[in-house]
Amino acid sequence: AAISPLSEAERSAALQDLPQWTYDKDNKGIARSFAFGNFVEAFGFMSSVALLAEKADHHPEWSNVYNRVEILLTTHDAGGLSERDIALAKQIDALI
Ligand code: H2B
């Protein structure tokens, strides 16, 4: 792994800036749910996230049902949560 996971203390500190995201212990990542007015808005958001993800070479685990989007960010190369997830979460929040 080229990148190391955050320590518990680093994770707590990082999540202070991401109040809408919660740590998912089982998946070793951070998760947030988004709700939009309809499917087109949800999918437009996903398109924007996809562009950010491709630019960062860091990709979300996610799902969409109609107007809702669930995102989980974890770093496979680190085996857990890393700085890359925090950076992408902040970029995603900035879209909203
Ligand atoms: N996305 C995520 N979420 N975790 C990774 O470890 C990761 C990735 N690794 N996107 C990247 C791609 C890596 O596989 C490529 C080769 O850079």
Side-chain angles (χ1 to χ4, degrees):
I3 182 162
S4 53
L6 297 184
S7 68
E8 237 179 270
E10 288 169 330
R11 183 179 76 225
S12 304
L15 285 175
Q16 300 284 321
D17 298 332
L18 297 167
Q20 316 251 42
W21 295 78
T22 55
Y23 184 64
D24 178 339
K25 219 177 194 176
D26 294 336
N27 292 303
K28 294 184 177 182
I30 52 173
R32 181 177 170 182
S33 303
F34 299 84
F36 299 90
N38 54 47
F39 175 74
V40 170
E41 288 177 29
F43 202 85
F45 166 75
M46 293 177 80
S47 300
S48 298
V49 172
L51 293 174
L52 292 174
E54 195 54 19
K55 198 162 192 177
D57 191 28
H58 195 66
H59 303 88
E61 294 184 22
W62 57 3
S63 65
N64 158 243
V65 177
Y66 181 50
N67 67 328
R68 306 192 71 91
V69 179
E70 310 285 339
I71 298 183
L72 176 87
L73 299 176
T74 186
T75 301
H76 308 109
D77 295 342
L81 188 72
S82 82
E83 217 34 84
R84 288 186 198 165
D85 302 303
I86 302 304
L88 185 55
K90 286 179 180 172
Q91 287 187 288
I92 291 171
D93 278 0
L95 294 173
I96 299 296

